[in-house]
Amino acid sequence: MMKKFKIGEIVEAERVKIPEKSTQSWNTEPKSEENSMKSWVLPLLIGVVATIIYRYYFRQ
């Protein structure tokens, strides 16, 4: 069944050039001290406020 098909390498003239993928840089902004402070201070404050509210409402 497969004898009618030629199996092997593609002829140089029939090869298609595939462009190489470049690696994407996800970090486009320079890292600043202010942004890194906000990234952990804000969740910390939200956690502290949530803890205080929880203790206030569910105190026995």
Side-chain angles (χ1 to χ4, degrees):
M1 182 180 214
M2 293 297 292
K3 287 186 179 184
K4 62 181 176 181
F5 298 105
K6 288 187 176 182
I7 299 175
E9 289 190 28
I10 299 175
V11 181
E12 186 72 36
E14 294 181 357
R15 291 184 186 174
V16 177
K17 294 284 184 182
I18 300 173
E20 290 187 27
K21 293 182 180 179
S22 61
T23 58
Q24 240 180 355
S25 175
W26 295 100
N27 187 9
T28 57
E29 298 177 4
K31 199 166 193 174
S32 67
E33 189 66 30
E34 182 180 331
N35 288 340
S36 64
M37 288 290 283
K38 285 182 184 177
S39 68
W40 67 270
V41 171
L42 184 61
L44 180 70
L45 290 176
I46 292 172
V48 169
V49 170
T51 303
I52 291 171
I53 291 172
Y54 177 81
R55 287 184 179 222
Y56 177 74
Y57 281 116
F58 296 106
R59 190 184 329 171
Q60 291 182 356

